[in-house]
Amino acid sequence: MPTPFGDRNQPTQIAYDFAEDVQNLTNGDINILVKSNGRALPHLAIPAAVMSGKVVAGEFLLGLLDKKDSVFQHDIIPLLANNYKDAQLLWQASKNNTEKQLNKLGLHYLYVVPWTPYSFFSTQEVTRVSDFNGLSIRTFNNTVTALIKNLDAKPVQLPFAEIQSAFSEGKLNGRFTSLSVGEDTKIWTYAPYLNDLRLWIPKQVVVMNKAFFDSLDVKTQKAIETAAAKAERNGWTQTQERVETDLAALKDGGVFYKEPSEKLLKELEKMKQRMTQEWINQNPTQNGGIYRAYQDAQKQALKAQ
């Protein structure tokens, strides 16, 4: 089971726990070997490897599949769900359609783990929308590419392993990434300016090759699903606990920290509205239904307070 990030990141730690639980619950009949930090496969190669059966299971950013179906874009629309309460409501609204599309790709859904919020790290201070103009910013899918272009910046697609060297060579000026990845990679050594935008809380998804999962007996399937449910519960709880500790570590490391201005957030809100509508327009029945269900859930949550 390849996973792209290092052992200190919460999704990877939960993957190890998941593998141990599967082994225990199946009495050793199923053993999952987690290969972290991109050692087995680069991040971008993991989805296709699981689809083809090259590997039985894998973990990757859900939004990497946004070319396959627009449902996966919900995960990385800026400001659509940028706190954990809303992120959970959005996931509940989109989960059924997401699983359906994963099945069509030959992937059996196991669980998701949210990241700590994605903010913007750069080689220079960014305080206004105009400060993004002309910056070379790392992208990893169509949705992020659209955001970067909306900011009048230049999207640059690079493998995860090449990011730090690209900064040192001047090929990159900025990147959107989670507080956890920033802390883990000592981002202050190559992109020391943090504008804590908290644009989205994307999810790592763990999937299994569907043909392989379907070939297992019911008892084994249930054992894997039990371990997966526990992993997802822990993911939502434990990741939230990392936000403040990761932020403190970034500041201790030497990051120049800045909270976004009200003006900058207003400009980004306009982009959110435009990108949300563009997402809905791609599949009004599916995506529009998800958005309406999400809005309804938000209203119910407010009433319950």
Side-chain angles (χ1 to χ4, degrees):
M1 174 179 157
T3 181
F5 296 99
D7 289 347
R8 294 173 68 245
N9 286 286
Q10 199 66 38
T12 308
Q13 293 174 11
I14 289 173
Y16 283 122
D17 291 341
F18 166 69
E20 183 177 350
D21 286 340
V22 168
Q23 184 177 8
N24 291 336
L25 289 169
T26 62
N27 297 315
D29 289 340
I30 299 290
N31 292 292
I32 296 175
L33 179 62
V34 177
K35 289 282 190 176
S36 65
N37 210 29
R39 287 177 296 162
L41 287 169
H43 193 178
L44 298 178
I46 295 173
V50 185
M51 290 178 206
S52 67
K54 181 179 179 181
V55 295
V56 170
E59 179 180 56
F60 53 86
L61 197 66
L62 184 62
L64 291 186
L65 296 174
D66 69 345
K67 291 181 182 179
K68 299 294 186 181
D69 189 272
S70 59
V71 70
F72 301 112
Q73 293 176 21
H74 78 268
D75 206 40
I76 309 183
I77 295 175
L79 299 178
L80 182 60
N82 65 333
N83 62 71
Y84 283 97
K85 182 183 292 183
D86 283 347
Q88 284 182 297
L89 294 177
L90 179 59
W91 176 232
Q92 289 164 11
S94 59
K95 184 176 180 179
N96 287 341
N97 283 290
T98 300
E99 286 194 52
K100 180 180 176 182
Q101 295 302 330
L102 287 171
N103 282 338
K104 288 183 178 180
L105 296 172
L107 301 172
H108 178 81
Y109 169 79
L110 292 176
Y111 68 89
V112 293
V113 175
W115 276 108
T116 50
Y118 265 51
S119 287
F120 187 68
F121 295 86
S122 56
T123 56
Q124 61 196 64
E125 189 174 19
V126 171
T127 59
R128 302 168 297 182
V129 167
S130 59
D131 291 336
F132 287 94
N133 195 308
L135 294 182
S136 297
I137 301 174
R138 194 240 178 174
T139 185
F140 47 84
N141 70 357
N142 286 353
T143 313
V144 176
T145 295
L147 171 62
I148 293 169
K149 288 180 177 179
N150 284 335
L151 292 167
D152 291 326
K154 301 173 184 176
V156 178
Q157 186 156 333
L158 287 169
F160 185 81
E162 297 177 17
I163 292 174
Q164 286 184 241
S165 60
F167 271 97
S168 64
E169 294 166 8
K171 296 177 182 177
L172 283 178
N173 307 118
R175 65 181 296 198
F176 296 101
T177 195
S178 75
L179 301 176
S180 293
V181 171
E183 190 274 336
D184 186 44
T185 62
K186 294 181 172 58
I187 201 166
W188 53 85
T189 63
Y190 61 93
Y193 290 91
L194 165 61
N195 195 313
D196 198 9
L197 297 171
R198 305 201 179 190
L199 288 175
W200 57 76
I201 297 174
K203 299 177 288 292
Q204 290 287 108
V205 64
V206 173
V207 294
M208 186 170 279
N209 178 273
K210 188 174 184 302
F212 177 83
F213 184 85
D214 290 346
S215 72
L216 299 172
D217 62 79
V218 173
K219 183 180 179 181
T220 302
Q221 289 179 344
K222 286 183 177 179
I224 294 172
E225 297 283 15
T226 298
K230 176 184 173 183
E232 184 155 327
R233 286 194 304 272
N234 288 343
W236 284 103
T237 301
Q238 295 175 12
T239 303
Q240 294 179 61
E241 296 169 353
R242 289 283 294 267
V243 176
E244 293 307 318
T245 56
D246 285 342
L247 189 55
L250 285 164
K251 291 177 179 178
D252 289 344
V255 156
F256 300 106
Y257 179 82
K258 192 172 187 66
E259 292 184 359
S261 67
E262 188 175 329
K263 184 177 181 181
L264 176 55
L265 288 175
K266 283 182 178 179
E267 290 296 320
L268 291 169
E269 177 67 23
K270 293 177 184 177
M271 293 183 190
K272 166 214 164 181
Q273 292 174 3
R274 184 166 67 248
M275 291 180 70
T276 300
Q277 191 58 55
E278 289 170 351
W279 169 64
I280 291 171
N281 291 344
Q282 289 181 67
N283 190 331
T285 301
Q286 173 185 266
N287 301 342
I290 291 170
Y291 185 64
R292 288 188 295 273
Y294 172 49
Q295 286 188 309
D296 289 344
Q298 286 180 305
K299 291 174 184 176
Q300 291 300 318
L302 282 173
K303 288 180 182 179
Q305 287 182 353

